[in-house]
């Protein structure tokens, strides 16, 4: 809601409570109607509302398996179930862009975005591809025009400012086929492993780990 109010695009979405998930059989007609009313068509993305690293995510081409996917997302941690989010499955060039802050001026410094290409046969950039060495393909800078790179960077700075994130952010999204940007995941910190996105992107502007 906050991003959309500032003209920043996100996937179409709706959400369901744990109670609605628990009573899926009783609520199935209502659930499908709410998904349709949100303008979401299959394939859809089902994910926990409070999680990261692609944990608990399912992608369904139709309603088969919907009950199981709802339960898996809500009960990723059985002791602490979460509401779930349903999003449209968007297509385009997936990217992640890190913004750091100049310690003297306070100005944001957007790093060159990385294009992420999920492995053949997978539907999305999942947990194993994110954290296991040699998984998926990552291109820094992203393989798009200079104009699109600037648009990605400007949009990510706007996301950071809109959400009042300070110091550091990593913003994930898609460059759509029509040239627009859709944001899927703002993060208030980036992974800090030596081969992670932060250091890949910083190296592109000749910035060392120490700097």
């Amino acid at each position: 809601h906050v991003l959309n109010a500032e003209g920043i695009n996100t996937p179409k979405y709706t959400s369901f409570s744990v109670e609605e998930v628990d009573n899926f059989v009783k609520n199935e007609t209502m659930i499908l109607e709410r998904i349709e009313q949100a303008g979401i068509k299959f394939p859809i993305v089902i994910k926990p509302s409070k999680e990261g690293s692609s944990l608990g995510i399912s992608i369904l081409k139709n309603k088969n398996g919907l009950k199981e996917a709802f339960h898996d997302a809500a009960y990723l941690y059985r002791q602490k179930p979460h509401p779930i989010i349903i999003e449209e499955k968007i297509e385009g060039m997936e990217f992640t862009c890190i913004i750091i802050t100049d310690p003297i001026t306070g100005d944001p410094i957007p790093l060159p975005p990385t294009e992420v290409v999920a492995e053949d046969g997978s539907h999305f950039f999942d947990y194993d591809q994110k954290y296991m060495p040699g998984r998926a393909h990552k291109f820094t800078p992203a393989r798009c025009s200079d104009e699109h790179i600037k648009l990605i960077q400007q949009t990510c700075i706007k996301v950071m400012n809109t959400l009042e994130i300070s110091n550091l952010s990593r913003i994930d999204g898609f460059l759509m086929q029509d040239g627009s940007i859709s944001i899927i995941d703002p993060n208030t910190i980036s992974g800090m492993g030596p081969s992670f996105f932060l250091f890949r992107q910083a190296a592109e502007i000749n910035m060392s780990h120490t700097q």
Side-chain angles (χ1 to χ4, degrees), residues 6-205:
E6 293 298 320
I8 299 167
N9 295 328
T10 60
K12 296 175 183 175
Y13 74 96
T14 187
S15 61
F16 296 95
S17 67
V18 174
E19 182 180 5
E20 288 170 328
V21 173
D22 289 342
N23 294 283
F24 181 90
V25 174
K26 176 184 176 181
N27 295 324
E28 183 172 7
T29 299
M30 175 273 293
I31 287 170
L32 292 171
E33 287 177 351
R34 194 188 300 175
I35 292 172
E36 183 178 358
Q37 289 168 359
I40 303 170
K41 298 180 180 180
F42 286 93
I44 63 173
V45 181
I46 303 104
K47 60 185 183 181
S49 64
K50 298 179 181 179
E51 194 44 75
S53 297
S54 297
L55 293 170
I57 289 182
S58 299
I59 295 180
L60 297 183
K61 294 182 179 180
N62 52 54
K63 67 178 184 178
N64 294 333
L66 193 60
K67 178 183 177 182
E68 292 76 13
F70 269 44
H71 185 272
D72 289 347
Y75 284 91
L76 180 62
Y77 301 110
R78 293 188 176 276
Q79 300 85 353
K80 194 175 181 181
H82 290 307
I84 66 169
I85 296 173
I86 310 300
E87 289 181 344
E88 63 176 334
K89 176 71 167 63
I90 57 177
E91 301 294 337
M93 185 197 79
E94 186 170 0
F95 67 81
T96 185
C97 183
I98 293 172
I99 298 101
I100 59 178
T101 303
D102 187 307
I104 298 174
T105 66
D107 294 333
I109 303 173
L111 301 181
T114 298
E115 174 188 356
V116 177
V117 181
E119 294 174 343
D120 291 341
S122 64
H123 298 295
F124 67 102
F125 190 38
D126 60 25
Y127 182 89
D128 287 344
Q129 293 178 64
K130 286 182 174 180
Y131 296 106
M132 296 298 289
R135 301 292 299 271
H137 296 288
K138 307 169 185 75
F139 301 91
T140 309
R143 299 175 299 175
C144 58
S145 68
D146 291 343
E147 289 76 15
H148 281 141
I149 284 180
K150 289 178 182 177
L151 178 61
I152 290 170
Q153 292 174 322
Q154 290 168 355
T155 303
C156 291
I157 289 173
K158 187 174 182 181
V159 171
M160 185 175 181
N161 291 336
T162 298
L163 298 179
E164 299 182 358
I165 300 171
S166 60
N167 194 33
L168 174 72
S169 67
R170 196 196 82 229
I171 312 298
D172 302 336
F174 281 82
L175 173 63
M176 310 292 279
Q177 294 179 350
D178 63 2
S180 64
I181 302 294
S182 185
I183 298 300
I184 61 168
D185 187 16
N187 300 272
T188 53
I189 195 167
S190 176
M192 295 292 181
S195 64
F196 282 17
F197 293 119
L198 172 60
F199 300 114
R200 288 171 178 258
Q201 295 181 13
E204 289 295 318
I205 60 170

